[in-house]
């Protein structure tokens, strides 16, 4: 029983010196899935449907998404709790994005060479949904892991401070 307590204490103490790579790597995976999403969207050329302000906004959002997620990935490496909140917000926004461009383009019908066609066919729609949902899941998991680890590290640091104060007196 004492050995288990010592092992747990060592693991907690190691957190002071090693980076939170699990949350950081999940952020990188979320960025990769987002890249796959926008490559899938932007390689499509169905008439002129994609030449609208919605797609321009999507491009700007993708740039901001990658910037914010990378910034958060660096923040969670050093166990900063505030970045968990950013990751939660961005993760929820990834879910909300499903109902904007992918859903609208899946429902839109355009005439190309006199033939009506759906802008985004089912296979592509399912693929981009998986990319966005996967990206959101990675961000939400990264946020939760970081939040939990930050709490554990804060509690451990308080324990060390209390122990050091007792030993000093």
């Amino acid at each position: 029983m004492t050995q288990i307590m010592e092992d747990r204490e060592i693991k907690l103490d190691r957190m002071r010196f090693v980076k939170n790579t699990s949350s950081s790597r999940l952020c990188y995976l979320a960025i990769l899935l987002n890249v796959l999403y926008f490559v899938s969207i932007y390689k499509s050329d169905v008439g002129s449907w994609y030449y609208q302000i919605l797609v321009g906004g999507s491009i700007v959002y993708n740039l901001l998404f990658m910037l914010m997620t990378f910034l958060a990935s660096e923040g969670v490496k050093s166990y900063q709790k505030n970045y968990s909140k950013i990751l939660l917000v961005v993760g929820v926004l990834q879910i909300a994005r499903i109902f904007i461009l992918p859903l609208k383009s899946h429902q839109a019908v355009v005439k190309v060479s006199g033939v009506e066609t759906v802008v985004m066919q089912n296979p592509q729609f399912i693929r981009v949904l998986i990319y966005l949902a996967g990206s959101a899941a990675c961000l939400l998991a990264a946020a939760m892991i970081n939040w939990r680890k930050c709490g554990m590290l804060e509690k451990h640091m308080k324990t060390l401070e209390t122990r050091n104060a007792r030993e000093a007196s």
Side-chain angles (χ1 to χ4, degrees), residues 20-88:
N20 181 2
T21 56
S22 56
S23 290
S24 181
R25 288 179 181 159
L26 283 169
C27 290
Y28 297 148
L29 182 57
I31 292 171
L32 175 65
L33 290 169
N34 189 68
V35 168
L36 292 173
Y37 159 77
F38 76 73
V39 166
S40 178
I41 291 283
Y42 304 143
K43 76 177 182 176
S44 300
D45 189 22
V46 182
S48 62
W49 193 87
Y50 281 113
Y51 303 116
Q52 57 177 315
I53 194 75
L54 182 62
V55 176
S58 178
I59 291 169
V60 170
Y61 178 81
N62 278 318
L63 294 171
L64 291 173
F65 168 84
M66 289 187 287
L67 180 65
M68 291 301 297
T69 304
F70 182 75
L71 174 66
S73 76
E74 293 301 309
V76 297
K77 277 184 187 177
S78 58
Y79 300 98
Q80 294 182 25
K81 213 172 200 177
N82 288 336
Y83 286 102
S84 292
K85 296 173 187 174
I86 292 171
L87 290 174
L88 282 172

Side-chain angles (χ1 to χ4, degrees), residues 71-132:
L71 174 66
S73 76
E74 293 301 309
V76 297
K77 277 184 187 177
S78 58
Y79 300 98
Q80 294 182 25
K81 213 172 200 177
N82 288 336
Y83 286 102
S84 292
K85 296 173 187 174
I86 292 171
L87 290 174
L88 282 172
V89 169
V90 175
V92 169
L93 288 174
Q94 286 294 85
I95 293 169
R97 289 179 75 191
I98 293 169
F99 303 102
I100 303 171
L101 186 62
L103 189 61
K104 286 185 179 190
S105 60
H106 183 63
Q107 295 170 342
V109 177
V110 294
K111 271 192 176 182
V112 178
S113 301
V115 178
E116 285 192 355
T117 184
V118 176
V119 173
M120 185 183 291
Q121 301 293 325
N122 284 337
Q124 182 186 16
F125 181 65
I126 292 168
R127 191 171 56 249
V128 298
L129 289 182
I130 290 170
Y131 293 151
L132 284 175

Side-chain angles (χ1 to χ4, degrees), residues 129-153:
L129 289 182
I130 290 170
Y131 293 151
L132 284 175
S135 178
C138 288
L139 293 171
L140 296 174
M144 294 302 169
I145 290 168
N146 187 58
W147 190 271
R148 183 179 55 84
K149 285 184 174 183
C150 285
M152 291 168 51
L153 186 59

